[in-house]
Short mmCIF file of all heavy atoms in Angstrom, two decimals:
data_model
loop_
_atom_site.label_atom_id
_atom_site.label_comp_id
_atom_site.label_asym_id
_atom_site.label_seq_id
_atom_site.Cartn_x
_atom_site.Cartn_y
_atom_site.Cartn_z
N LEU A 1 -33.65 1.89 -86.47
CA LEU A 1 -33.56 2.87 -85.40
C LEU A 1 -33.28 2.14 -84.08
O LEU A 1 -34.01 1.23 -83.69
CB LEU A 1 -34.89 3.64 -85.31
CG LEU A 1 -34.97 4.79 -84.35
CD1 LEU A 1 -33.98 5.88 -84.74
CD2 LEU A 1 -36.38 5.35 -84.35
N CYS A 2 -32.21 2.53 -83.39
CA CYS A 2 -31.85 1.91 -82.11
C CYS A 2 -32.26 2.79 -80.94
O CYS A 2 -32.66 2.28 -79.89
CB CYS A 2 -30.35 1.67 -82.04
SG CYS A 2 -29.72 0.57 -83.30
N SER A 3 -32.13 4.11 -81.11
CA SER A 3 -32.40 5.00 -80.00
C SER A 3 -32.66 6.42 -80.51
O SER A 3 -32.10 6.84 -81.52
CB SER A 3 -31.19 5.03 -79.06
OG SER A 3 -31.35 5.99 -78.05
N VAL A 4 -33.53 7.11 -79.78
CA VAL A 4 -33.75 8.54 -80.00
C VAL A 4 -33.62 9.20 -78.64
O VAL A 4 -34.29 8.81 -77.68
CB VAL A 4 -35.15 8.83 -80.59
CG1 VAL A 4 -35.39 10.33 -80.69
CG2 VAL A 4 -35.32 8.18 -81.94
N HIS A 5 -32.73 10.18 -78.54
CA HIS A 5 -32.53 10.90 -77.28
C HIS A 5 -32.75 12.39 -77.53
O HIS A 5 -32.05 12.99 -78.33
CB HIS A 5 -31.10 10.65 -76.77
CG HIS A 5 -30.79 11.37 -75.50
ND1 HIS A 5 -31.40 11.08 -74.31
CD2 HIS A 5 -29.94 12.39 -75.26
CE1 HIS A 5 -30.92 11.88 -73.38
NE2 HIS A 5 -30.03 12.69 -73.93
N LYS A 6 -33.74 12.94 -76.84
CA LYS A 6 -34.03 14.37 -76.98
C LYS A 6 -34.20 14.95 -75.59
O LYS A 6 -35.27 14.87 -74.99
CB LYS A 6 -35.30 14.59 -77.81
CG LYS A 6 -35.51 16.06 -78.09
CD LYS A 6 -36.89 16.29 -78.65
CE LYS A 6 -37.24 17.74 -78.54
NZ LYS A 6 -37.26 18.26 -77.19
N PRO A 7 -33.13 15.50 -75.05
CA PRO A 7 -33.18 16.02 -73.69
C PRO A 7 -33.80 17.42 -73.61
O PRO A 7 -33.14 18.41 -73.86
CB PRO A 7 -31.72 16.05 -73.25
CG PRO A 7 -30.97 16.24 -74.54
CD PRO A 7 -31.79 15.58 -75.61
N GLY A 8 -35.07 17.50 -73.28
CA GLY A 8 -35.73 18.79 -73.07
C GLY A 8 -35.83 19.63 -74.33
O GLY A 8 -35.84 19.13 -75.44
N GLY A 9 -35.94 20.94 -74.14
CA GLY A 9 -36.08 21.85 -75.26
C GLY A 9 -37.51 21.88 -75.76
O GLY A 9 -38.41 21.26 -75.21
N SER A 10 -37.72 22.59 -76.84
CA SER A 10 -39.07 22.69 -77.40
C SER A 10 -39.44 21.41 -78.15
O SER A 10 -38.57 20.63 -78.52
CB SER A 10 -39.14 23.91 -78.32
OG SER A 10 -38.16 23.83 -79.32
N PRO A 11 -40.74 21.19 -78.38
CA PRO A 11 -41.18 19.95 -79.05
C PRO A 11 -40.62 19.83 -80.46
O PRO A 11 -40.29 20.83 -81.10
CB PRO A 11 -42.70 20.08 -79.09
CG PRO A 11 -43.06 21.18 -78.19
CD PRO A 11 -41.86 22.04 -78.01
N LEU A 12 -40.55 18.60 -80.94
CA LEU A 12 -40.04 18.32 -82.27
C LEU A 12 -41.16 17.69 -83.10
O LEU A 12 -41.77 16.71 -82.68
CB LEU A 12 -38.86 17.35 -82.17
CG LEU A 12 -38.07 17.04 -83.42
CD1 LEU A 12 -37.43 18.31 -83.97
CD2 LEU A 12 -37.01 16.01 -83.13
N LYS A 13 -41.46 18.28 -84.24
CA LYS A 13 -42.53 17.77 -85.10
C LYS A 13 -42.12 16.45 -85.74
O LYS A 13 -40.94 16.19 -85.96
CB LYS A 13 -42.87 18.79 -86.18
CG LYS A 13 -43.46 20.05 -85.62
CD LYS A 13 -43.75 21.06 -86.70
CE LYS A 13 -44.28 22.34 -86.06
NZ LYS A 13 -44.40 23.43 -87.00
N GLY A 14 -43.11 15.62 -86.07
CA GLY A 14 -42.86 14.30 -86.66
C GLY A 14 -42.06 14.36 -87.93
O GLY A 14 -41.16 13.54 -88.17
N ALA A 15 -42.34 15.32 -88.81
CA ALA A 15 -41.63 15.44 -90.08
C ALA A 15 -40.16 15.78 -89.84
O ALA A 15 -39.27 15.27 -90.54
CB ALA A 15 -42.28 16.51 -90.96
N LYS A 16 -39.90 16.64 -88.87
CA LYS A 16 -38.51 17.01 -88.56
C LYS A 16 -37.76 15.83 -87.97
O LYS A 16 -36.60 15.57 -88.30
CB LYS A 16 -38.49 18.19 -87.59
CG LYS A 16 -37.12 18.79 -87.36
CD LYS A 16 -36.46 19.31 -88.60
CE LYS A 16 -37.16 20.55 -89.11
NZ LYS A 16 -36.48 21.13 -90.27
N LEU A 17 -38.42 15.05 -87.11
CA LEU A 17 -37.82 13.85 -86.54
C LEU A 17 -37.51 12.84 -87.64
O LEU A 17 -36.43 12.25 -87.67
CB LEU A 17 -38.73 13.23 -85.48
CG LEU A 17 -38.21 11.95 -84.83
CD1 LEU A 17 -36.88 12.20 -84.13
CD2 LEU A 17 -39.24 11.42 -83.84
N GLN A 18 -38.43 12.66 -88.57
CA GLN A 18 -38.20 11.73 -89.69
C GLN A 18 -37.03 12.19 -90.53
O GLN A 18 -36.23 11.38 -91.01
CB GLN A 18 -39.47 11.58 -90.54
CG GLN A 18 -39.35 10.50 -91.59
CD GLN A 18 -39.03 9.13 -91.02
OE1 GLN A 18 -39.69 8.67 -90.09
NE2 GLN A 18 -38.01 8.48 -91.56
N ASP A 19 -36.90 13.49 -90.75
CA ASP A 19 -35.76 14.04 -91.50
C ASP A 19 -34.46 13.70 -90.79
O ASP A 19 -33.47 13.30 -91.42
CB ASP A 19 -35.93 15.55 -91.66
CG ASP A 19 -34.87 16.18 -92.54
OD1 ASP A 19 -34.30 15.47 -93.41
OD2 ASP A 19 -34.60 17.38 -92.38
N CYS A 20 -34.44 13.85 -89.46
CA CYS A 20 -33.25 13.51 -88.67
C CYS A 20 -32.91 12.03 -88.80
O CYS A 20 -31.74 11.67 -88.96
CB CYS A 20 -33.45 13.87 -87.20
SG CYS A 20 -33.54 15.63 -86.86
N ILE A 21 -33.91 11.17 -88.75
CA ILE A 21 -33.68 9.73 -88.85
C ILE A 21 -33.10 9.38 -90.23
O ILE A 21 -32.14 8.62 -90.34
CB ILE A 21 -34.98 8.95 -88.58
CG1 ILE A 21 -35.38 9.10 -87.10
CG2 ILE A 21 -34.82 7.47 -88.95
CD1 ILE A 21 -36.77 8.59 -86.78
N THR A 22 -33.65 9.98 -91.28
CA THR A 22 -33.16 9.73 -92.63
C THR A 22 -31.71 10.16 -92.77
O THR A 22 -30.88 9.44 -93.33
CB THR A 22 -34.04 10.46 -93.66
OG1 THR A 22 -35.39 10.00 -93.51
CG2 THR A 22 -33.57 10.21 -95.08
N ARG A 23 -31.39 11.33 -92.25
CA ARG A 23 -30.01 11.82 -92.32
C ARG A 23 -29.07 10.95 -91.48
O ARG A 23 -27.91 10.73 -91.86
CB ARG A 23 -29.93 13.27 -91.85
CG ARG A 23 -30.57 14.23 -92.81
CD ARG A 23 -30.52 15.63 -92.26
NE ARG A 23 -31.23 16.55 -93.12
CZ ARG A 23 -30.81 17.78 -93.37
NH1 ARG A 23 -29.70 18.23 -92.81
NH2 ARG A 23 -31.50 18.58 -94.15
N ALA A 24 -29.55 10.46 -90.35
CA ALA A 24 -28.73 9.61 -89.49
C ALA A 24 -28.40 8.29 -90.19
O ALA A 24 -27.28 7.78 -90.08
CB ALA A 24 -29.45 9.35 -88.17
N ILE A 25 -29.36 7.74 -90.91
CA ILE A 25 -29.13 6.49 -91.66
C ILE A 25 -28.07 6.70 -92.73
O ILE A 25 -27.16 5.88 -92.91
CB ILE A 25 -30.45 5.96 -92.25
CG1 ILE A 25 -31.36 5.47 -91.13
CG2 ILE A 25 -30.20 4.87 -93.28
CD1 ILE A 25 -32.79 5.19 -91.56
N THR A 26 -28.15 7.83 -93.44
CA THR A 26 -27.16 8.16 -94.46
C THR A 26 -25.78 8.33 -93.84
O THR A 26 -24.78 7.81 -94.35
CB THR A 26 -27.56 9.44 -95.22
OG1 THR A 26 -28.84 9.22 -95.82
CG2 THR A 26 -26.55 9.81 -96.28
#
């Protein structure tokens, strides 16, 4: 992981963030 950018909006749960990271790696 090099960077995570989340500009505002509603909070993001840990499981959803991990899902995003996994998909980004793929």
Side-chain angles (χ1 to χ4, degrees):
L1 185 63
C2 299
S3 174
V4 175
H5 178 67
K6 187 191 163 300
S10 57
L12 187 62
K13 294 179 182 171
K16 188 60 70 176
L17 179 60
Q18 187 58 50
D19 186 26
C20 291
I21 292 169
T22 302
R23 290 177 185 219
I25 290 168
T26 301

